[in-house]
mmCIF file with all atom_site columns, all heavy atoms in Angstrom:
data_model
loop_
_atom_site.group_PDB
_atom_site.id
_atom_site.type_symbol
_atom_site.label_atom_id
_atom_site.label_alt_id
_atom_site.label_comp_id
_atom_site.label_asym_id
_atom_site.label_entity_id
_atom_site.label_seq_id
_atom_site.pdbx_PDB_ins_code
_atom_site.Cartn_x
_atom_site.Cartn_y
_atom_site.Cartn_z
_atom_site.occupancy
_atom_site.B_iso_or_equiv
_atom_site.pdbx_formal_charge
_atom_site.auth_seq_id
_atom_site.auth_comp_id
_atom_site.auth_asym_id
_atom_site.auth_atom_id
_atom_site.pdbx_PDB_model_num
ATOM 1  N N   . THR C 1 120 ? -164.161 -50.990  141.390 1.00 97.00 ? 932  THR C N   1
ATOM 2  C CA  . THR C 1 120 ? -164.871 -50.559  142.601 1.00 97.00 ? 932  THR C CA  1
ATOM 3  C C   . THR C 1 120 ? -164.217 -51.136  143.851 1.00 97.00 ? 932  THR C C   1
ATOM 4  O O   . THR C 1 120 ? -164.045 -50.438  144.855 1.00 97.00 ? 932  THR C O   1
ATOM 5  C CB  . THR C 1 120 ? -166.352 -50.968  142.558 1.00 97.00 ? 932  THR C CB  1
ATOM 6  O OG1 . THR C 1 120 ? -166.430 -52.369  142.257 1.00 97.00 ? 932  THR C OG1 1
ATOM 7  C CG2 . THR C 1 120 ? -167.112 -50.195  141.518 1.00 97.00 ? 932  THR C CG2 1
ATOM 8  N N   . GLU C 1 147 ? -137.675 -43.736  171.540 1.00 92.00 ? 959  GLU C N   1
ATOM 9  C CA  . GLU C 1 147 ? -137.719 -44.907  172.398 1.00 92.00 ? 959  GLU C CA  1
ATOM 10 C C   . GLU C 1 147 ? -136.287 -45.379  172.595 1.00 92.00 ? 959  GLU C C   1
ATOM 11 O O   . GLU C 1 147 ? -135.534 -45.501  171.629 1.00 92.00 ? 959  GLU C O   1
ATOM 12 C CB  . GLU C 1 147 ? -138.554 -46.015  171.738 1.00 92.00 ? 959  GLU C CB  1
ATOM 13 C CG  . GLU C 1 147 ? -138.769 -47.224  172.626 1.00 92.00 ? 959  GLU C CG  1
ATOM 14 C CD  . GLU C 1 147 ? -139.545 -48.343  171.918 1.00 92.00 ? 959  GLU C CD  1
ATOM 15 O OE1 . GLU C 1 147 ? -139.905 -48.183  170.743 1.00 92.00 ? 959  GLU C OE1 1
ATOM 16 O OE2 . GLU C 1 147 ? -139.757 -49.382  172.558 1.00 92.00 ? 959  GLU C OE2 1
ATOM 17 N N   . THR C 1 167 ? -126.483 -77.458  183.287 1.00 92.00 ? 979  THR C N   1
ATOM 18 C CA  . THR C 1 167 ? -125.452 -78.353  183.814 1.00 92.00 ? 979  THR C CA  1
ATOM 19 C C   . THR C 1 167 ? -126.014 -79.181  184.958 1.00 92.00 ? 979  THR C C   1
ATOM 20 O O   . THR C 1 167 ? -125.713 -80.369  185.081 1.00 92.00 ? 979  THR C O   1
ATOM 21 C CB  . THR C 1 167 ? -124.223 -77.556  184.288 1.00 92.00 ? 979  THR C CB  1
ATOM 22 O OG1 . THR C 1 167 ? -124.678 -76.449  185.064 1.00 92.00 ? 979  THR C OG1 1
ATOM 23 C CG2 . THR C 1 167 ? -123.411 -77.053  183.122 1.00 92.00 ? 979  THR C CG2 1
ATOM 24 N N   . ILE C 1 181 ? -126.748 -94.767  178.165 1.00 92.00 ? 993  ILE C N   1
ATOM 25 C CA  . ILE C 1 181 ? -128.034 -94.106  177.927 1.00 92.00 ? 993  ILE C CA  1
ATOM 26 C C   . ILE C 1 181 ? -127.881 -93.022  176.875 1.00 92.00 ? 993  ILE C C   1
ATOM 27 O O   . ILE C 1 181 ? -128.691 -92.889  175.950 1.00 92.00 ? 993  ILE C O   1
ATOM 28 C CB  . ILE C 1 181 ? -128.577 -93.494  179.246 1.00 92.00 ? 993  ILE C CB  1
ATOM 29 C CG1 . ILE C 1 181 ? -128.949 -94.615  180.212 1.00 92.00 ? 993  ILE C CG1 1
ATOM 30 C CG2 . ILE C 1 181 ? -129.771 -92.588  178.960 1.00 92.00 ? 993  ILE C CG2 1
ATOM 31 C CD1 . ILE C 1 181 ? -129.573 -94.136  181.492 1.00 92.00 ? 993  ILE C CD1 1
ATOM 32 N N   . GLY C 1 205 ? -143.926 -93.090  144.778 1.00 90.00 ? 1017 GLY C N   1
ATOM 33 C CA  . GLY C 1 205 ? -144.043 -93.469  143.380 1.00 90.00 ? 1017 GLY C CA  1
ATOM 34 C C   . GLY C 1 205 ? -143.303 -94.753  143.102 1.00 90.00 ? 1017 GLY C C   1
ATOM 35 O O   . GLY C 1 205 ? -142.517 -95.213  143.932 1.00 90.00 ? 1017 GLY C O   1
ATOM 36 N N   . GLY C 1 225 ? -145.525 -102.911 113.140 1.00 90.00 ? 1037 GLY C N   1
ATOM 37 C CA  . GLY C 1 225 ? -145.084 -101.600 113.569 1.00 90.00 ? 1037 GLY C CA  1
ATOM 38 C C   . GLY C 1 225 ? -146.252 -100.628 113.550 1.00 90.00 ? 1037 GLY C C   1
ATOM 39 O O   . GLY C 1 225 ? -147.195 -100.768 112.766 1.00 90.00 ? 1037 GLY C O   1
ATOM 40 N N   . ILE C 1 290 ? -137.462 -91.869  104.121 1.00 94.00 ? 1102 ILE C N   1
ATOM 41 C CA  . ILE C 1 290 ? -137.809 -92.300  102.764 1.00 94.00 ? 1102 ILE C CA  1
ATOM 42 C C   . ILE C 1 290 ? -137.888 -91.074  101.881 1.00 94.00 ? 1102 ILE C C   1
ATOM 43 O O   . ILE C 1 290 ? -138.659 -90.161  102.175 1.00 94.00 ? 1102 ILE C O   1
ATOM 44 C CB  . ILE C 1 290 ? -139.174 -92.981  102.711 1.00 94.00 ? 1102 ILE C CB  1
ATOM 45 C CG1 . ILE C 1 290 ? -139.359 -93.903  103.913 1.00 94.00 ? 1102 ILE C CG1 1
ATOM 46 C CG2 . ILE C 1 290 ? -139.343 -93.741  101.417 1.00 94.00 ? 1102 ILE C CG2 1
ATOM 47 C CD1 . ILE C 1 290 ? -140.812 -94.150  104.199 1.00 94.00 ? 1102 ILE C CD1 1
ATOM 48 N N   . THR C 1 329 ? -130.746 -81.401  108.796 1.00 94.00 ? 1141 THR C N   1
ATOM 49 C CA  . THR C 1 329 ? -130.061 -81.994  107.648 1.00 94.00 ? 1141 THR C CA  1
ATOM 50 C C   . THR C 1 329 ? -128.912 -82.875  108.108 1.00 94.00 ? 1141 THR C C   1
ATOM 51 O O   . THR C 1 329 ? -128.357 -83.622  107.330 1.00 94.00 ? 1141 THR C O   1
ATOM 52 C CB  . THR C 1 329 ? -129.479 -80.909  106.717 1.00 94.00 ? 1141 THR C CB  1
ATOM 53 O OG1 . THR C 1 329 ? -128.491 -80.179  107.457 1.00 94.00 ? 1141 THR C OG1 1
ATOM 54 C CG2 . THR C 1 329 ? -130.559 -79.970  106.247 1.00 94.00 ? 1141 THR C CG2 1
#
Side-chain angles (χ1 to χ4, degrees):
Chain C
T932 52
E959 186 183 1
T979 46
I993 292 184
I1102 319 157
T1141 63

